[in-house]
Amino acid sequence: MREAINIKNLSYMYSEDTRALESVNMTVHEGERIAIVGPNGAGKTTLLLHLNGILHGTDGQVEVFGKSVDKVKREEIIKDIGLVFQDPDDQLFMPTIFDDLAFGPINLGLKEDEVRKRVEKALLTLGLSGYENRCPHHLSYGEKKKASLAAVMSMEPRILVLDEPTANLDPRSRAELIEIIKGLNEREGITIVTATHDVNAVPTLADRVYV
Ligand code: ADP
């Protein structure tokens, strides 16, 4: 199976006394579902931020589909790998849901028709059809979580990276989101990397676990 992500000896220090990652190694194959588990402060978010080039390692390297994240333009990386932040308010910043979902595809330079098609598909996948003109700030937390995943899906990434997708959701929204993520892997073959401390979600969301 082809390697989707390969992390070699990755270390990262926020400052002299905050060593967030130390010699981390991880391999994810295309189509796999991987969970990264660990307590608060273990470095999960820091690791995920390296996958799409938001952070660059103090040492070591990160490759996505064989290309070093440090050497490729960020626009290239985000075509392959979509990162859903833990807090949906970090992802949704436009006046309407349509604008939030269209933002990425427009920045890829796609034509209006294609942008509209992608937005509609992402909304359908997340069960949010009809939400186009809604204001993100007026949605429930569960709806915001789905909208933030839809905003990433409109980029049609081959790898989906999720930071604590089930945190702060009620049981019904949590179950719904887990099923959607599972379906994206099963139906579309999307590689899934999930950082979570929701250990009960791990058997459904992961084939392998990194601790
Ligand atoms: P997790 O996602 O597993 O809870 P984080 O990656 O958020 O862990 O944090 C790892 C460590 O890095 C913690 O000690 C945290 O305090 C520190 N850290 C995270 N973000 C920053 C930041 N922006 N500046 C300084 N230290 C940070």
Side-chain angles (χ1 to χ4, degrees):
M1 236 190 308
R2 190 176 171 201
E3 266 180 15
I5 298 170
N6 187 359
I7 297 176
K8 281 193 206 127
N9 298 319
L10 183 69
S11 298
Y12 186 78
M13 288 164 76
Y14 281 102
S15 63
E16 277 298 307
D17 47 6
T18 316
R19 191 182 285 274
L21 300 175
E22 192 163 352
S23 293
V24 172
N25 290 284
M26 182 172 102
T27 306
V28 180
H29 295 102
E30 192 164 22
E32 254 192 322
R33 302 172 312 157
I34 297 293
I36 302 169
V37 301
N40 285 331
K44 301 183 295 298
T45 299
T46 305
L47 180 64
L48 300 190
L49 293 175
H50 282 78
L51 295 178
N52 72 351
I54 294 176
L55 292 180
H56 293 279
T58 321
D59 241 318
Q61 62 167 313
V62 179
E63 286 178 358
V64 173
F65 291 120
K67 286 183 264 176
S68 167
V69 167
D70 286 342
K71 294 188 184 127
V72 181
K73 281 197 194 139
R74 212 150 164 264
E75 301 87 84
E76 288 301 311
I77 306 168
I78 59 177
K79 275 190 211 165
D80 283 334
I81 193 159
L83 172 58
V84 184
F85 295 119
Q86 176 170 354
D87 183 352
D89 289 329
D90 289 341
Q91 207 115 32
L92 305 169
F93 51 89
M94 299 294 275
T96 69
I97 291 292
F98 180 90
D99 294 336
D100 262 321
L101 269 63
F103 184 84
I106 288 171
N107 278 302
L108 287 182
L110 299 176
K111 293 207 178 93
E112 201 182 319
D113 270 6
E114 176 64 17
V115 171
R116 206 162 278 282
K117 227 191 284 170
R118 284 192 178 208
V119 170
E120 275 162 25
K121 184 177 174 210
L123 287 173
L124 188 66
T125 304
L126 273 296
L128 292 177
S129 296
Y131 278 62
E132 289 83 344
N133 297 319
R134 299 279 299 270
C135 168
H137 299 295
H138 297 161
L139 301 184
S140 72
Y141 189 78
E143 288 168 332
K144 278 190 198 179
K145 275 289 229 199
K146 287 198 281 181
S148 66
L149 176 51
V152 169
M153 287 312 298
S154 69
M155 296 288 283
E156 300 192 345
R158 289 193 286 163
I159 306 170
L160 188 57
V161 179
L162 303 135
D163 197 355
E164 300 285 359
T166 59
N168 305 314
L169 289 176
D170 63 55
R172 193 172 154 191
S173 304
R174 174 183 171 277
E176 196 185 352
L177 199 66
I178 288 174
E179 276 311 305
I180 290 168
I181 296 166
K182 197 170 158 241
L184 289 172
N185 173 264
E186 286 170 357
R187 283 195 307 275
E188 302 190 28
I190 297 175
T191 306
I192 310 273
V193 178
T194 311
T196 186
H197 48 230
D198 180 353
V199 286
N200 293 323
V202 169
T204 320
L205 282 183
D207 308 306
R208 286 197 297 130
V209 179
Y210 281 89
V211 180

